[in-house]
Every structure is written in C-alpha cells, then in structure tokens.
Amino acid sequence: MRLFTTISYCIFLLASTSSIAADSKIVTFNSSDNILISADVYSPHKSSAPMIVLYHQAGSSRGEYNEIAPRLNKLGFNCLAVDLRSGEFSRGKDNQTAMRASNAGLSTSYSDALPDIISALEYTQKNYPDSKILAWGSSYSAALVLKVAGDHAELIDGVLAFSPGEYFSHQGKSKTWIRDSAKAINIPVFITSSKKEKESWQSIFDVIPSKDKNSFIPATEGRHGSRALWEKYNDSESYWQAIKQFLLSKNRVWS
C-alpha cells in the first residue's frame, strides 16, 4: 500500500509539472552583449493584454515563477519569466542564460544582469507593441527594476519589487545606486518584503516621487523575494491580496 501511494504521488507530481510546462513556451533573444537569454512566455490572453516581465532572485531561474505566472494569467495578465545571467536553478529549471554567460567567461554578478533586464523589456515592446508593460523583480532584480524604472521610463508602465535594497556597493556601485535612480520614478510602484526587510528599502521608497506608490508588509514575518507568493507558505495569500489590489485597480493605465 505504501509503495502504491508513493507511485501515485509521483505520477501526480509529474502530471502537475507537465500541466505547468504546457501553459508556457520558451523563447530566446539576445542581450546587448549578444548573450542569448532564455525566457518562458505565459500568454493565454490576446497580445494586447498587459504583460508582466518577471525576474528572479539570486541563485534562481525563471522557474521561480512556474506557480506564480499562471495565477497572474488568471488575473488577466500575460507573463514573460526571464533567466538573468546571475542565477542558477529554481523549481525544476536550470538558468540557461547564466550557463551561457559562464561558458563565455563573462562576469555574472548581480549588476551584470542589468543589460538582460533592459533587453527583456525591449523584446517585450517589440513583440507586444500594444501591451502595457510591468517589470517585476525579486531581491537583487527587484532593485534593478526600480533602477530601470527611473533611468528608462520609456520601457515600463509599472513596477513591482519584492525585497529590493542597495545590494551593489561590493560590486563597485555607490551605496545609493538604486536610490539615485528611484528619484526619477513617476509610474505606479509596488514594493513588498518580509517584515524585517522593510528598513532595507524604506529609503528607496521615500525618494520615489510617483503619486502612485504603494507598499505592503505582512502581519507575519513574511518571506524574501517573490517566493513569498508560493502556495506552500501559510501567509502567501496576504501577499496575493496586496498584489491583486495593486494590479486590478481601475485607476491604473493597464486596466
């Protein structure tokens, strides 16, 4: 009986994984230095529907979003989950971009992923010209999407940042590298994190001049990065409620 139960559970997991994979397709495009970037497209809606470009945290991959993207689809958004060159593996998916960058002898520190973030947004603009585009980051990429929102406003209509911070001083950047760019953000912004991480991004949030800036801190201790939305965590629904409130507001340009 125990063997049968184990086999049945394994079959269930394989079926679940297959259903997730069937909802997406992999695409590739070049970064500005010609490294091939891999991404999963989750696009059940018409091509003019708003598109969320999803970026993972350190040591991770586009697999970070294989549970999150389908839920965002149900809210009316298409999604592009991107492998950045600074990462490794998550939820059954190797980071293909990181492997290519490493094989080419390129640096794969957090800040080195900035061109990949920009290139993914440019790819989205080109292939979904009628869509509003939101950039969504997790940990180090959350900081980078805030930087892009300030430096390249023409690429983004909204930004969501999960556990951002000034993570780049040990890579030769200033201690206010993200904050300096955030001073120019004038699009809708949503920032969240675990409870203890709020002090890591509060100074960034404070300088954002956008009249539509929003934040959420859970009543629980919470989680770091986008994984806070994974169903296995008991407090994930509190994050989802805050996300829904931000994304589905009728006052936003993508509504």
Side-chain angles (χ1 to χ4, degrees):
M1 178 64 72
R2 182 178 297 175
L3 177 60
F4 177 79
T5 302
T6 301
I7 291 172
S8 299
Y9 180 66
C10 290
I11 291 172
F12 170 77
L13 284 181
L14 287 171
S16 298
T17 302
S18 297
S19 67
I20 290 172
D23 290 338
S24 66
K25 65 178 181 179
I26 193 165
V27 296
T28 58
F29 49 91
N30 285 326
S31 190
S32 57
D33 56 357
N34 292 320
I35 288 296
L36 195 65
I37 298 173
S38 293
D40 287 336
V41 178
Y42 300 79
S43 56
H45 306 294
K46 59 184 181 180
S47 61
S48 60
M51 172 70 81
I52 303 178
V53 185
L54 302 160
Y55 304 105
H56 57 76
Q57 68 179 59
S60 189
S61 76
R62 67 195 192 282
E64 186 172 327
Y65 293 98
N66 61 11
E67 176 186 319
I68 295 171
R71 285 197 64 169
L72 293 173
N73 288 160
K74 291 179 180 179
L75 297 179
F77 297 82
N78 290 325
C79 296
L80 181 75
V82 183
D83 271 350
L84 300 173
R85 72 185 65 192
S86 185
E88 188 173 352
F89 176 86
S90 181
R91 298 173 74 99
K93 294 189 177 183
D94 289 317
N95 188 318
Q96 298 179 0
T97 307
M99 289 190 289
R100 295 186 192 106
S102 180
N103 290 338
L106 296 177
S107 176
T108 57
S109 67
Y110 300 162
S111 60
D112 294 316
L114 183 58
D116 304 339
I117 287 179
I118 294 172
S119 294
L121 293 169
E122 292 173 339
Y123 168 87
T124 304
Q125 277 194 337
K126 179 180 179 180
N127 288 275
Y128 299 86
D130 298 322
S131 295
K132 298 298 182 181
I133 300 172
L134 294 85
W136 172 315
S138 177
S139 189
Y140 86 87
S141 70
L144 292 180
V145 296
L146 290 171
K147 179 169 180 59
V148 173
D151 295 348
H152 300 279
E154 74 281 1
L155 295 176
I156 310 176
D157 297 295
V159 61
L160 300 95
F162 285 71
S163 304
E166 296 284 359
Y167 298 127
F168 309 94
S169 59
H170 66 289
Q171 298 171 13
K173 306 301 182 183
S174 77
K175 293 182 178 181
T176 59
W177 194 51
I178 303 303
R179 201 180 326 161
D180 293 342
S181 296
K183 293 176 182 178
I185 296 176
N186 282 296
I187 57 175
V189 177
F190 176 86
I191 299 180
T192 188
S193 69
S194 67
K195 186 179 294 185
K196 68 180 181 181
E197 291 175 319
K198 183 178 180 181
E199 63 183 36
S200 297
W201 53 262
Q202 187 65 58
S203 63
I204 299 171
F205 185 84
D206 288 344
V207 302
I208 294 173
S210 173
K211 295 180 180 179
D212 188 0
K213 62 179 183 179
N214 309 264
S215 65
F216 171 74
I217 293 295
T220 58
E221 289 304 308
R223 308 283 170 180
H224 177 76
S226 295
R227 66 178 59 201
L229 294 171
W230 290 355
E231 186 178 2
K232 70 177 184 178
Y233 297 125
N234 292 333
D235 55 358
S236 62
E237 284 304 318
S238 66
Y239 284 96
W240 274 112
Q241 289 304 312
I243 288 297
K244 290 177 184 178
Q245 185 175 354
F246 177 73
L247 290 178
L248 301 182
S249 170
K250 298 303 181 183
N251 298 324
R252 306 259 151 70
V253 295
W254 54 81
S255 300

